[in-house]
Amino acid sequence: MKKLILTILGLVLLSIPTCLSVKYNWYNTKIGGGGFVTNLIYNPGEQGLLYLRTDMGGSYRYDQNNKSWTPIQDIFGGSEWWLFGCESLGVDTKEPNRVYIAAGTYMSYGENGAIIASDDYGQTWKTRWDAPFHFGANDDGRGRGERLAVHPEQNNIIYFGTRKNGLYKSTNYAESFSQVASFPTDYDIPFILFVPGTKGKTIIVATDNSKGPLYRSDDGGSTFKQISGQPNTGYYPHHGAFSADNKYLYVTYANSIGPNGATQGAVYRIKLADYSFKEITPVKGSYETQQFGYTGVQTSGTNPGVVIVSTLNLWWPSDEVYKSNDYGETWSEGVASHAELDISEYPWLDFGKEDGLKFGWWIASLAMDPFDDNNVSYGTGATVYTTTDFTNADKNAATHWAPNVHGFEECAINDIEAPPAGPGNPQLLTALGDLGGFTQDDINEAVEMWTNPTYTTGSSVEYAYSNPQIVVSCGTDNAAYSNDGGHTWTPMKSLPYENATGGHITISGDGKVVTWVPNQSNVPYWTTDHGATWTKVTTCPQCTQIRPDDGGKTYSKLSSGLSAGQLNSPFDVEGHLWLACTYWGGVQMSTDYGKTFKEVDPLFKTADSVGFGKPDPNSNAPYTVYIVGKYDGYYGVYRSTDLGNTWTLLNDDNHQWGVYNSKVIGDPNIFGRVYIATNGRGVVVGDDTSVVSNSNNNTPHRQTTTKKKTTTKTISSSPTSSNNCIVKYLDETFDCCPDGTEVAYVDEYGEWGIINGEWCGFSSGTNESSGECFSLALGHPCCDSCDVVSTDENGLWGVKDNDWCGIKSSCDASSITYLCPANSPGSDSEYSCCSSCIDIVEQDDDSSWGIENGQWCSIPFYCGY
């Protein structure tokens, strides 16, 4: 029997290395945004050119042909993780292929920021200027902008507004910058605008000077002065936009720099002929109703009078967007009050509540297509919505919106697990920040949000290896269990102590013992009754990380002198433990349950995460190892198919994804597939292109005619007669459950309950003789047919009444049929099953597919892929 191992953790914190490399295809699991979109920026110099920036998840360019987003800031990660936030994005209207990013996430954390320049729409980055100060892409005020501004005529000139260091200017396409001496350094500079029609001579710079935030230069930036006549509101400017006829500048204001804290605000129109101000605020908040400010503003590129603005912190029922066709003299009713949102592709956006769907919040990013007034998008704290009938707002009629987030993934992932394939088992379980957790039956389809409870932040998730249907999770102020693979949840019956929250949770391989180490406790607690009672572990002080197995109640010290790091173990190989060492020691391996460890490769100096996946079919190793760490000086994702003797680098300089050190795991069903938990780029997936083909591979064409089949095992809510109680087949001292006992969990032996704090067994639900098939002794009925779905060490398995069943001994070789998706009942596929478990060439919703004799064939269910 395996042992449960704990380790004491510490804090977790580019030349190409000399190891092997392999070609990988990188993409994301489909969640759909999931984070704050700080701005959407059209370049009016080229039709359809749209960029998106985020606070901690990089930047994107929109692909109009595929209606999807392409990440353009993935070059930063590992040792330069702080450069993954986008403080500002600057577009060049003269040469639209040029784009600039001010990269830097925190003013008080990490290192200084940098400005990078591209001349191919962000596909590659040509130059980089390392600033002598920090940027704050994920600090307060991150929804304002843009701080980068490119001269419309002399586009080698770029201005950058800093938070604490004044105004900076480049004259060489951002290769270098210097401070503008004539501009004050006392204020944050949220945006810079070149006034149209002045050939770059007139520049407006917004600041946080409460006595007059707007400055103007009429001599191309040589001198600046405050614009006179500004309203004395004490508000902060957020965004500015010019009318299409260049007569007016619109500026939104709030009494907070955002994205929170706004209780007052206004919209002003500035007449450029004389710089006179007029308030044109659509609706004002009040103490009697609601208080809020204003943030986003956009104008039409073709209709001079059209302007749209968004509110900030109007929490009920949601933030609003208002539209005017007459320069702000009159406004439509709120667009949100007539909006229809279609979230069918991303149903989690209702946050698991009937009244949870909102038009939006934190709508700092508001974008109107310069060439089409009907094409409008806005960002929220979780997604991007787009409509193509925005002018319906002129009639106060319904506008129709849907998430526009294909390719855009911004979630901060805390934990991931990939259970083995099986009826009802999900493909991926994800615990994440701000959104709690998700279950995915297909990583390319919509996620299912965890509810009951819905965590603000999900911290940890684990499944029972012997029965992956049993899952536990923990997060903000709670923990929960699931008996159906994470599709439905039940809160633990109590907490180990008052205010227990977050941390790390695990479950023994047989599903009987749940162990939880809440945040700040440093002590594990275990339960065998879904949290009705918790027992504090007294034999492991300062233990914060747990690996699942069949124990969890008592511990003994096995080894010492190791670096803090992440401990992990392959589920199906006894005695093997791996430690990714954060500070020294690189990667350590034990084959004796942790009694001794050895360093697997001295070129690994440090490592952050270790995980396991399906073994290489050409290797004798029982599993594949994946490491996120620094090997031979290069931080990346590494793979070993021979237990650490050799290592293969999987990613490169263009695939870094910011912070991706929290979790790496392999897929137990597909060799080479790796899942990476990132802090702002969702769950990144990598496929070895020699194993899983992509759209560019030259493989035979296969028509998809079958329909997806799902076989789900359900757990009965009440017991059947105990005449055939499963415990009589087991060498255990358990009693049979009396009638009325609730089913607590299911394992390979059958259904179990709890009576007086002790386990009891249920009936197998059949009066058939135990000699007819092996499965009766395991708590499952005999099959009525000889159709095989799965195999294991016990025998051949089928499915009966949505439950596993054992193939009878009367089924011989001539009568047995090994089912695959293509020949399942209800399938109209023209393809046959593969004759054996051959390599997967392609996967889709219908099946995993291989090729035999030049023809497509469907991989049998029993292969477990």
Side-chain angles (χ1 to χ4, degrees):
M1 180 176 288
K2 301 179 189 175
K3 298 180 175 64
L4 184 68
I5 308 295
L6 289 84
T7 185
I8 300 175
L9 295 184
L11 294 176
V12 176
L13 180 161
L14 285 164
S15 61
I16 298 294
T18 57
C19 65
L20 305 172
S21 63
V22 66
K23 185 177 180 181
Y24 257 64
N25 177 39
W26 297 102
Y27 56 100
N28 282 93
T29 62
K30 183 178 179 179
I31 295 176
F36 184 23
V37 179
T38 45
N39 210 4
L40 294 160
I41 305 122
Y42 271 106
N43 186 333
E46 181 176 315
Q47 189 167 353
L49 184 53
L50 173 65
Y51 293 95
L52 176 156
R53 67 171 171 90
T54 73
D55 47 8
M56 57 180 288
S59 304
Y60 296 77
R61 183 187 66 254
Y62 194 63
D63 184 335
Q64 294 289 348
N65 293 326
N66 296 320
K67 303 300 179 187
S68 64
W69 296 94
T70 300
I72 61 173
Q73 206 173 332
D74 282 354
I75 62 170
F76 294 122
S79 59
E80 291 189 319
W81 60 265
W82 60 88
L83 295 177
F84 202 52
C86 182
E87 176 83 296
S88 183
L89 189 147
V91 297
D92 186 334
T93 57
K94 184 177 181 180
E95 293 182 87
N97 54 297
R98 294 185 181 273
V99 61
Y100 303 89
I101 285 177
T105 308
Y106 297 104
M107 290 293 292
S108 58
Y109 191 46
E111 302 296 336
N112 292 337
I115 294 179
I116 54 176
S118 171
D119 60 8
D120 56 7
Y121 301 96
Q123 295 182 56
T124 60
W125 298 93
K126 305 298 184 184
T127 64
R128 166 175 166 170
W129 175 69
D130 290 303
F133 45 81
H134 285 223
F135 300 168
N138 199 28
D139 287 325
D140 286 347
R142 57 192 181 273
R144 302 192 294 171
E146 287 298 308
R147 298 173 181 272
L148 281 169
V150 181
H151 196 292
E153 300 283 338
Q154 303 172 50
N155 61 331
N156 59 303
I157 297 175
I158 300 110
Y159 283 91
F160 176 59
T162 74
R163 289 180 176 253
K164 292 184 176 180
N165 298 88
L167 182 65
Y168 272 68
K169 177 183 179 181
S170 171
T171 59
N172 54 9
Y173 297 100
E175 289 187 23
S176 62
F177 282 80
S178 59
Q179 191 178 64
V180 178
S182 60
F183 200 87
T185 60
D186 309 275
Y187 311 111
D188 188 356
I189 301 173
F191 65 82
I192 304 164
L193 297 169
F194 286 91
V195 177
T198 67
K199 296 185 178 182
K201 292 186 178 295
T202 303
I203 309 169
I204 294 177
V205 179
T207 72
D208 283 353
N209 183 350
S210 60
K211 296 181 179 179
L214 300 184
Y215 288 72
R216 184 175 97 236
S217 172
D218 293 319
D219 53 14
S222 295
T223 60
F224 289 86
K225 62 181 180 180
Q226 280 180 287
I227 299 175
S228 61
Q230 297 185 57
N232 187 22
T233 62
Y235 297 161
Y236 301 104
H238 278 236
H239 291 271
F242 295 101
S243 62
D245 56 10
N246 301 332
K247 291 182 178 179
Y248 298 104
L249 168 64
Y250 303 95
V251 178
T252 52
Y253 295 85
N255 65 339
S256 163
I257 62 175
N260 289 313
T263 58
Q264 300 177 52
V267 182
Y268 279 86
R269 186 183 70 197
I270 304 168
K271 187 176 181 180
L272 296 177
D274 58 6
Y275 286 89
S276 57
F277 287 72
K278 180 179 181 179
E279 184 177 0
I280 56 169
T281 307
V283 176
K284 280 186 170 291
S286 68
Y287 289 103
E288 291 76 19
T289 56
Q290 291 195 74
Q291 299 173 282
F292 54 89
Y294 283 86
T295 179
V297 58
Q298 279 287 292
T299 56
S300 167
T302 56
N303 297 302
V306 173
V307 56
I308 57 177
V309 297
S310 60
T311 63
L312 179 63
N313 300 155
L314 176 56
W315 295 109
W316 183 259
S318 73
D319 270 314
E320 265 288 8
V321 171
Y322 295 96
K323 181 176 188 280
S324 174
N325 294 323
D326 55 8
Y327 300 98
E329 293 293 330
T330 61
W331 296 88
S332 67
E333 296 178 6
V335 174
S337 61
H338 300 283
E340 296 181 6
L341 304 181
D342 178 5
I343 61 167
S344 56
E345 190 172 1
Y346 303 96
W348 64 266
L349 283 167
D350 65 2
F351 299 93
K353 302 176 182 178
E354 290 186 5
D355 62 348
L357 181 59
K358 305 296 183 184
F359 184 75
W361 69 101
W362 291 4
I363 307 179
S365 51
L366 187 60
M368 175 177 278
D369 189 331
F371 299 89
D372 183 1
D373 288 5
N374 267 313
N375 184 13
V376 173
S377 300
Y378 68 91
T380 74
T383 192
V384 176
Y385 286 104
T386 295
T387 183
T388 56
D389 60 7
F390 186 72
T391 57
N392 284 359
D394 296 339
K395 306 182 290 290
N396 294 321
T399 51
H400 301 85
W401 307 79
N404 185 7
V405 288
H406 288 178
F408 164 49
E409 299 292 346
E410 196 191 350
C411 288
I413 310 299
N414 293 323
D415 198 8
I416 46 176
E417 289 293 342
N425 292 351
Q427 190 172 12
L428 196 70
L429 298 159
T430 306
L432 65 162
D434 297 331
L435 300 176
F438 293 125
T439 297
Q440 276 182 288
D441 292 329
D442 185 333
I443 60 172
N444 298 308
E445 298 298 332
V447 295
E448 183 179 351
M449 176 173 271
W450 299 347
T451 58
N452 189 38
T454 301
Y455 304 116
T456 301
T457 287
S459 303
S460 179
V461 62
E462 188 72 80
Y463 64 90
Y465 180 72
S466 297
N467 188 349
Q469 296 282 297
I470 304 177
V471 185
V472 292
S473 65
C474 66
T476 308
D477 301 329
N478 220 325
Y481 65 93
S482 171
N483 287 325
D484 60 4
H487 295 93
T488 61
W489 294 86
T490 302
M492 292 292 178
K493 296 176 181 178
S494 69
L495 300 178
Y497 55 87
E498 188 176 2
N499 298 323
T501 183
H504 182 70
I505 198 167
T506 194
I507 188 168
S508 59
D510 58 10
K512 295 180 180 179
V513 182
V514 175
T515 309
W516 184 16
V517 187
N519 281 340
Q520 311 303 324
S521 72
N522 294 328
V523 175
Y525 294 79
W526 59 265
T527 180
T528 58
D529 52 14
H530 296 119
T533 60
W534 292 91
T535 301
K536 183 177 181 179
V537 174
T538 60
T539 53
C540 189
Q542 299 300 310
C543 288
T544 58
Q545 187 182 140
I546 314 158
R547 286 306 304 146
D549 214 314
D550 294 333
K553 299 179 180 179
T554 61
Y555 305 92
S556 60
K557 186 175 181 179
L558 296 179
S559 57
S560 61
L562 298 170
S563 166
Q566 186 181 100
L567 184 72
N568 208 346
S569 59
F571 282 111
D572 49 357
V573 180
E574 293 191 15
H576 284 212
L577 291 165
W578 290 72
L579 179 64
C581 299
T582 305
Y583 301 110
W584 70 85
V587 178
Q588 303 278 334
M589 179 190 180
S590 171
T591 58
D592 56 8
Y593 301 97
K595 294 178 182 178
T596 62
F597 281 85
K598 68 174 182 178
E599 187 176 17
V600 299
D601 192 322
L603 290 179
F604 267 120
K605 298 304 181 185
T606 60
D608 289 318
S609 184
V610 56
F612 312 97
K614 183 176 180 177
D616 184 344
N618 299 314
S619 170
N620 293 324
Y623 52 85
T624 298
V625 186
Y626 297 91
I627 295 286
V628 171
K630 184 175 287 188
Y631 183 93
D632 196 18
Y634 189 88
Y635 192 90
V637 184
Y638 295 87
R639 183 184 86 187
S640 176
T641 59
D642 55 11
L643 299 182
N645 290 314
T646 60
W647 293 93
T648 299
L649 175 65
L650 305 186
N651 60 332
D652 54 32
D653 288 345
N654 293 320
H655 298 91
Q656 288 295 313
W657 319 295
V659 178
Y660 56 98
N661 60 4
S662 63
K663 190 73 174 282
V664 61
I665 58 173
D667 192 294
N669 311 301
I670 302 173
F671 165 66
R673 175 168 290 176
V674 60
Y675 301 97
I676 303 164
T678 76
N679 187 36
R681 274 284 277 114
V683 179
V684 172
V685 186
D687 282 331
D688 185 330
T689 58
S690 68
V691 179
V692 179
S693 62
N694 57 35
S695 59
N696 295 321
N697 285 351
N698 295 319
T699 57
H701 176 68
R702 177 180 54 79
Q703 295 179 345
T704 302
T705 57
T706 59
K707 296 181 179 180
K708 183 180 181 181
K709 305 295 187 299
T710 301
T711 305
T712 304
K713 180 179 178 182
T714 58
I715 299 173
S716 60
S717 58
S718 60
T720 54
S721 170
S722 61
N723 292 335
N724 198 26
C725 175
I726 62 172
V727 299
K728 70 181 183 180
Y729 302 112
L730 305 177
D731 185 20
E732 300 283 357
T733 57
F734 297 115
D735 293 327
C736 296
C737 298
D739 291 343
T741 305
E742 179 185 1
V743 174
Y745 73 95
V746 177
D747 65 8
E748 69 269 30
Y749 303 111
E751 296 176 340
W752 295 83
I754 299 174
I755 295 295
N756 298 323
E758 299 293 334
W759 294 106
C760 62
F762 284 113
S763 164
S764 65
T766 178
N767 291 320
E768 296 173 278
S769 167
S770 61
E772 279 196 78
C773 66
F774 67 92
S775 60
L776 291 177
L778 302 178
H780 297 281
C782 298
C783 298
D784 295 330
S785 71
C786 299
D787 294 334
V788 177
V789 172
S790 182
T791 67
D792 63 14
E793 67 273 17
N794 297 304
L796 305 180
W797 294 88
V799 175
K800 175 182 177 181
D801 298 327
N802 285 329
D803 193 4
W804 289 108
C805 61
I807 301 297
K808 296 178 181 178
S809 57
S810 59
C811 293
D812 58 17
S814 63
S815 59
I816 287 176
T817 300
Y818 289 91
L819 288 183
C820 67
N823 70 1
S824 298
S827 171
D828 56 355
S829 174
E830 64 185 278
Y831 298 101
S832 301
C833 298
C834 303
S835 61
S836 62
C837 298
I838 63 176
D839 289 344
I840 294 175
V841 177
E842 185 174 337
Q843 290 181 306
D844 59 18
D845 290 342
D846 303 314
S847 179
S848 296
W849 300 91
I851 297 175
E852 282 186 341
N853 301 320
Q855 298 294 322
W856 287 102
C857 61
S858 178
I859 303 292
F861 286 118
Y862 72 85
C863 296
Y865 292 162

